[in-house]
Amino acid sequence: MHLVWEDSRSGHPEVWTRRFDGASWTPEECLTADDTPSADPVVAATYSYSAVAWVEGSPGNDQIVARFFEAGAWGPSELVSSGSGAAVQPSVAGDQLGWPEDFFFAWSDDR
């Protein structure tokens, strides 16, 4: 089970996570350790994977970015939205009935 939140301890918003491994919580980990503000994280899981999505960028030019947790590790950040304008209010859902397990993303934008 993954827990995600927004935290400004670095001086601007970043996305942080912890995972419950069945016995205890893992140490806190920053998923977005860079100079770009990251906010509004959401998380979804299937039997084998987890996905976290968030808003990254500056007002008026925000995009939706995601990372996937597989085999005990987080993969690289991936751009989910594209285009000009702001993409905000991310949501993510996992489909664990199909193979491979899929994630579906939705957001609002001002294009």
Side-chain angles (χ1 to χ4, degrees):
M1 171 177 40
H2 289 274
L3 174 69
V4 297
W5 68 95
E6 176 184 331
D7 191 313
S8 295
R9 69 181 83 173
S10 68
H12 64 273
E14 297 286 6
V15 174
W16 288 77
T17 186
R18 289 185 84 177
R19 181 174 54 94
F20 187 74
D21 63 12
S24 62
W25 287 97
T26 60
E28 294 179 357
E29 179 180 1
C30 185
L31 294 179
T32 60
D34 58 27
D35 292 333
T36 305
S38 304
D40 303 329
V42 293
V43 63
T46 63
Y47 289 119
S48 305
Y49 310 98
S50 294
V52 174
W54 63 88
V55 176
E56 185 167 286
S58 56
N61 194 29
D62 290 322
Q63 296 298 323
I64 306 301
V65 178
R67 287 183 75 176
F68 299 91
F69 188 84
E70 177 182 7
W74 287 101
S77 296
E78 299 182 32
L79 185 63
V80 175
S81 63
S82 63
S84 61
V88 295
Q89 299 173 322
S91 62
V92 59
D95 173 15
Q96 55 198 16
L97 298 178
W99 183 256
E101 297 167 19
D102 293 318
F103 287 95
F104 302 94
F105 298 88
W107 62 89
S108 297
D109 68 35
D110 64 0
R111 287 188 266 180

